[in-house]
Amino acid sequence: MFEIDILVSEVGPRDGLQSVDSIMPLAAKKAWIDAEARAGVREIEVGSFVPAKLLPQLADTAELVAHAKTIPGLTVAVLVPNARGAEAAIAAGADKLTLPLSVSETHSLANLRRTHDQVLNEAHVIADMIKALPPGQRPHFEGSLSTVFGCTLEGAIPDAQIARLAEGLMAAGCDEVGLSDTTGYANPAAVRHLIKLVRGVVGEKALTGIHLHNTRGLGLANVLAALEGGLTTLDSSLGGIGGCPFAPGASGNIVTEDLVFMLEAMGLRTGIDIDALLAVRSIVEKALPGEQLYGFLPDAGVPLGFTQAAPTKEVA
Amino acid sequence: MFEIDILVSEVGPRDGLQSVDSIMPLAAKKAWIDAEARAGVREIEVGSFVPAKLLPQLADTAELVAHAKTIPGLTVAVLVPNARGAEAAIAAGADKLTLPLSVSETHSLANLRRTHDQVLNEAHVIADMIKALPPGQRPHFEGSLSTVFGCTLEGAIPDAQIARLAEGLMAAGCDEVGLSDTTGYANPAAVRHLIKLVRGVVGEKALTGIHLHNTRGLGLANVLAALEGGLTTLDSSLGGIGGCPFAPGASGNIVTEDLVFMLEAMGLRTGIDIDALLAVRSIVEKALPGEQLYGFLPDAGVPLGFTQAAPTKEVA
């Protein structure tokens, strides 16, 4: 595999599929993941270990992890709402666990039905669970600061509360924290501000990733601010599907295709072949009839004379 | 009027309407311009002095200029393809004339049916025409470097050619030059690069504005790069309508509503009241039945607790 500058983390199979009503068949999910990995995507969040009763769309996450683990060079990420989910994720063999902590306590109660202290306690239990594993088998553990750019129920969240919770996640034993614009409230100035704030608390190396939505059309402008702030892992969703089912009006992840185009056009290597990535859309479209896919690049195509930042090849 | 940080220049009545098939009635155009000026927009490109045979949608530009001139504090801008158009624009009393010069000579021949030397000669004639006016009656004269981020016919245009043409426009007597992403090819790195290149030739004060499209979804990311590069005048179109009829696939100006939201959210004062701006959409929608309006903010609304960067009031 070639060296890359930016890690694009595909969250469609988790954040996308949890927001659509129809259930994508397991075979189609596998085909999607296979095709994106072949296009050069190196990290995919394949699902969430939540009760199947709550999100039947993601009930096959364990099988998907097992399948994705057979793809060489792919980091298999999953979302875990609590310690029970983390136990299942570890048993399935996931490479990366993300525990969301909504910095808005109102949203945290609505989304995870837990107070901040309860979520931090789950983080502790998960970190201990991971530490008990042999060194080579420990998944990476991220605490994601969700609704960090503001909450549809509470509005803006005070800096001091965000800083305290970022610190709390690291103290609980997370390897790093991430910023998540659950509600699509971010703007470039806020992205710059929060990177500075949170890195000031946890250090540069413990904040490298951001999860942005395109709810108000600012998704890629926020990406640019995040790049300038030094972040190197960017979440996005093929076709822009997805959002947070518990934050009204928060639909619309940033579109992987448009994101990769912007990065490559700027000379930032993603390792992803744009033509191969665009071809993945038909797999998702066929498996989700009636669901709208987003994206500008798929309609407009690449500019005349466009070349990618660096040669890409299939993951060996 | 309050001090502002960024001048948002509405180009919908020109760049928008020239790309739609239906002809908006003069009364609706006046209502649109009135409502946007009342919302706080301080510069509007109301039309283009091209032969009515070519663009019947803009045949009433002289009447619109006369009407817009009655609005206090509004800069009335028009596009002029040549000296004959400039003569009409001056007679009508326009405050600002923009002459496009396509840096791709192939596109220049297709769009204006003129070589670079012929366009530069027109610029000379126009500048002399303006200089012959009494000092208080001279309109501002901008030469717009179109297809500057690449051309659908030629691809990338060499830096040296762009620099030579920017210099040529200033030597001809333009007050300033502008950058125009006619084809939707721009990316943030290219925006930064071209600002540096062209300012290096014409000086900082002679490049303050940029005309961006959202063809590939990068419009607002490119705005952020332009802001960081020191530009202060940003073109956009209400509802994102418009594009260049001579550059295939180049439709989609950046959306004024989303642009103003991003700027205000970042603390940059535009002087424009967002609620009043959003209300203008219904005027355009009613006057252009069947035409699609774009924008994310109109669907998503402003975030909970959002306040504009500064108080705004109607243009007195």
Side-chain angles (χ1 to χ4, degrees):
Chain A
M1 290 197 291
F2 285 92
E3 202 188 341
I4 59 173
D5 301 302
I6 300 295
L7 178 66
V8 172
S9 181
E10 171 64 51
V11 300
R14 194 277 301 171
D15 198 11
L17 294 185
Q18 77 174 32
S19 326
V20 301
D21 290 332
S22 50
I23 297 178
M24 189 186 276
L26 178 61
K29 290 186 184 181
K30 286 182 181 175
W32 177 2
I33 290 165
D34 291 351
E36 271 210 55
R38 267 200 308 274
V41 173
R42 298 185 187 191
E43 180 172 302
I44 302 180
E45 196 174 60
V46 301
S48 184
F49 283 98
V50 285
K53 201 177 56 182
L54 284 179
L55 286 174
Q57 302 96 318
L58 307 182
D60 52 12
T61 295
E63 284 124 300
L64 267 181
V65 170
H67 173 75
K69 285 288 290 174
T70 65
I71 303 172
L74 181 70
T75 298
V76 182
V78 293
L79 194 128
V80 296
N82 50 36
R84 192 155 56 171
E87 204 174 348
I90 290 166
D95 299 314
K96 183 178 172 183
L97 275 48
T98 299
L99 174 76
L101 187 164
S102 187
V103 299
S104 154
E105 196 147 30
T106 317
H107 182 263
S108 181
L109 287 163
N111 194 357
L112 296 170
R113 292 159 206 235
R114 281 187 172 80
T115 64
H116 285 154
D117 284 346
Q118 286 174 318
V119 178
L120 288 173
N121 188 55
E122 296 288 316
H124 262 290
V125 175
I126 296 168
D128 287 347
M129 215 183 279
I130 291 172
K131 273 177 218 143
L133 296 170
Q137 293 173 33
R138 293 178 190 156
H140 191 74
F141 181 30
E142 180 184 306
S144 175
L145 297 161
S146 62
T147 69
V148 76
F149 293 96
C151 165
T152 53
L153 306 165
E154 286 193 27
I157 308 298
D159 279 1
Q161 184 167 325
I162 294 168
R164 185 176 57 78
L165 293 169
E167 217 164 15
L169 283 168
M170 294 305 290
C174 285
D175 296 309
E176 66 175 304
V177 297
L179 302 176
S180 182
D181 184 19
T182 318
T183 53
Y185 276 23
N187 68 70
V191 170
R192 289 180 198 140
H193 170 72
L194 277 174
I195 292 172
K196 212 172 157 186
L197 174 78
V198 174
R199 281 192 155 181
V201 174
V202 303
E204 270 195 26
K205 287 184 184 167
L207 172 63
T208 63
I210 192 163
H211 178 96
L212 292 163
H213 283 191
N214 197 33
T215 316
R216 287 169 180 81
L218 275 55
L220 293 182
N222 292 333
V223 162
L224 185 61
L227 293 171
E228 291 166 349
L231 301 194
T232 50
T233 298
L234 303 169
D235 287 4
S236 63
S237 169
L238 193 95
I241 59 171
C244 176
F246 302 99
S251 64
N253 281 291
I254 54 172
V255 176
T256 305
E257 302 88 305
D258 293 348
L259 171 66
V260 170
F261 167 67
M262 181 171 100
L263 295 169
E264 292 279 337
M266 293 177 69
L268 295 167
R269 296 167 301 173
T270 63
I272 300 167
D273 182 90
I274 289 180
D275 290 335
L277 183 68
L278 287 171
V280 181
R281 286 171 73 91
S282 67
I283 295 173
V284 176
E285 270 167 339
K286 276 178 205 148
L288 288 177
E291 192 64 30
Q292 166 145 35
L293 261 59
Y294 300 92
F296 286 82
L297 187 73
D299 286 338
V302 299
L304 181 68
F306 171 80
T307 49
Q308 293 206 223
T312 57
K313 63 170 183 179
E314 290 185 16
V315 175
Chain B
M1 291 197 290
F2 286 93
E3 202 189 340
I4 58 173
D5 301 304
I6 300 295
L7 179 66
V8 172
S9 181
E10 170 64 49
V11 299
R14 195 276 303 171
D15 199 11
L17 294 184
Q18 79 172 32
S19 327
V20 302
D21 291 330
S22 50
I23 297 178
M24 188 185 278
L26 179 60
K29 289 185 184 182
K30 286 182 181 176
W32 176 5
I33 290 165
D34 291 351
E36 271 210 55
R38 268 199 308 275
V41 173
R42 298 185 187 191
E43 181 171 301
I44 302 180
E45 197 174 61
V46 301
S48 183
F49 282 98
V50 285
K53 201 176 59 183
L54 284 178
L55 286 176
Q57 303 97 317
L58 307 183
D60 52 13
T61 296
E63 285 123 302
L64 267 181
V65 170
H67 173 75
K69 284 288 289 176
T70 66
I71 303 172
L74 182 71
T75 298
V76 182
V78 293
L79 194 128
V80 296
N82 50 36
R84 191 155 56 171
E87 205 174 349
I90 289 165
D95 299 314
K96 183 179 172 183
L97 274 49
T98 300
L99 174 77
L101 187 164
S102 188
V103 299
S104 153
E105 196 146 31
T106 316
H107 181 263
S108 182
L109 287 163
N111 193 357
L112 296 170
R113 293 161 204 233
R114 280 187 174 79
T115 63
H116 284 154
D117 285 344
Q118 286 174 318
V119 178
L120 288 173
N121 188 56
E122 296 288 316
H124 262 291
V125 175
I126 295 169
D128 288 347
M129 215 183 281
I130 291 170
K131 272 177 218 144
L133 296 170
Q137 293 172 33
R138 293 178 190 155
H140 191 75
F141 181 31
E142 181 183 306
S144 175
L145 298 161
S146 61
T147 68
V148 77
F149 293 96
C151 165
T152 53
L153 305 165
E154 284 194 27
I157 308 298
D159 279 0
Q161 185 167 325
I162 293 167
R164 185 176 57 77
L165 293 168
E167 216 164 16
L169 284 168
M170 294 305 289
C174 285
D175 296 309
E176 66 176 305
V177 298
L179 302 176
S180 182
D181 183 19
T182 319
T183 53
Y185 276 22
N187 68 70
V191 170
R192 289 179 198 142
H193 171 72
L194 276 174
I195 292 173
K196 211 173 157 187
L197 173 77
V198 174
R199 281 193 155 180
V201 174
V202 303
E204 270 195 26
K205 288 182 185 170
L207 173 63
T208 64
I210 191 163
H211 177 97
L212 292 163
H213 284 191
N214 197 34
T215 316
R216 286 169 180 82
L218 274 55
L220 294 182
N222 292 334
V223 163
L224 185 61
L227 293 172
E228 291 167 349
L231 302 195
T232 50
T233 298
L234 303 170
D235 287 4
S236 63
S237 168
L238 193 94
I241 58 171
C244 177
F246 302 101
S251 64
N253 280 292
I254 53 171
V255 176
T256 305
E257 303 89 305
D258 293 349
L259 171 66
V260 171
F261 167 68
M262 182 171 100
L263 295 170
E264 293 280 335
M266 293 177 70
L268 295 168
R269 296 166 301 173
T270 63
I272 300 167
D273 182 90
I274 289 179
D275 290 335
L277 183 69
L278 287 171
V280 182
R281 286 171 73 90
S282 66
I283 295 173
V284 177
E285 271 167 339
K286 276 177 207 150
L288 287 177
E291 193 63 32
Q292 165 145 36
L293 262 57
Y294 300 91
F296 285 82
L297 187 73
D299 286 338
V302 298
L304 180 68
F306 171 80
T307 49
Q308 291 206 224
T312 57
K313 63 171 184 180
E314 292 186 12
V315 174

